[in-house]
Amino acid sequence: MNNLDKVFREEFERRSKLTQEVDVSMTKIQKSVEEINKLVCAVGLNDTQRLIQLENLARGIGQEVQRVDNSYRDLNQKFDNSLQSWQGHLEVSMQRTVNLQESFFKQADTSMARVCGDLLKTAEVLVAASK
């Protein structure tokens, strides 16, 4: 249980760090877009060639945003799969523990019944011998 709890904490910390990194990347991208827009306005890049360059730049930024988003989704899916796997392992482990405990107590009851039966037979023999 402690190991499972540790794994969940580590995975949570890793996901939190990744989320922070994604937020930082998105902030940088947003600032870059704002700076490009200011530069375009300041320099007056309005001709067709400049607009094509800006369009290509915007497309590249969009592709990077998509790549980050896909990476985050992939990580989230892996975490979900990991949780499901650990849940399965935990359920199997708990069932084994229950089965072992049940087996132990059944064997203890059987042994105690045998001992008590043998004591009864011994007592009956002693009573018969004393008559």
Side-chain angles (χ1 to χ4, degrees):
M1 282 300 238
N2 290 336
N3 190 27
L4 182 61
D5 196 34
K6 179 183 173 188
V7 168
F8 282 123
R9 276 194 220 114
E10 288 173 354
E11 189 63 30
F12 175 77
E13 290 173 14
R14 194 169 65 132
R15 281 185 82 189
S16 293
K17 184 178 177 184
L18 181 63
T19 301
Q20 290 172 353
E21 290 173 1
V22 167
D23 289 343
V24 168
S25 294
M26 295 302 286
T27 301
K28 286 180 182 178
I29 290 170
Q30 182 179 4
K31 286 180 182 179
S32 296
V33 169
E34 289 172 1
E35 289 176 16
I36 290 169
N37 190 34
K38 287 179 186 177
L39 190 65
V40 166
C41 291
V43 178
L45 299 174
N46 294 328
D47 66 355
T48 306
Q49 186 63 23
R50 301 296 182 225
L51 290 175
I52 291 172
Q53 288 176 348
L54 290 174
E55 184 181 332
N56 289 338
L57 183 60
R59 188 175 298 118
I61 290 171
Q63 289 171 348
E64 286 302 310
V65 168
Q66 185 65 40
R67 188 180 65 78
V68 168
D69 188 51
N70 289 343
S71 294
Y72 181 74
R73 275 195 207 129
D74 184 49
L75 177 66
N76 192 38
Q77 183 62 41
K78 287 179 182 177
F79 181 69
D80 288 344
N81 292 344
S82 169
L83 288 177
Q84 290 175 0
S85 174
W86 276 103
Q87 180 182 4
H89 291 304
L90 180 61
E91 288 173 356
V92 168
S93 177
M94 294 300 285
Q95 188 59 48
R96 276 192 212 141
T97 301
V98 167
N99 292 344
L100 285 172
Q101 288 176 348
E102 287 176 355
S103 174
F104 171 80
F105 285 111
K106 284 179 184 176
Q107 288 177 0
D109 289 347
T110 301
S111 296
M112 186 57 75
R114 191 176 313 129
V115 168
C116 290
D118 290 347
L119 283 174
L120 178 62
K121 287 178 186 176
T122 302
E124 288 172 351
V125 168
L126 290 174
V127 168
S130 67
K131 286 185 182 181

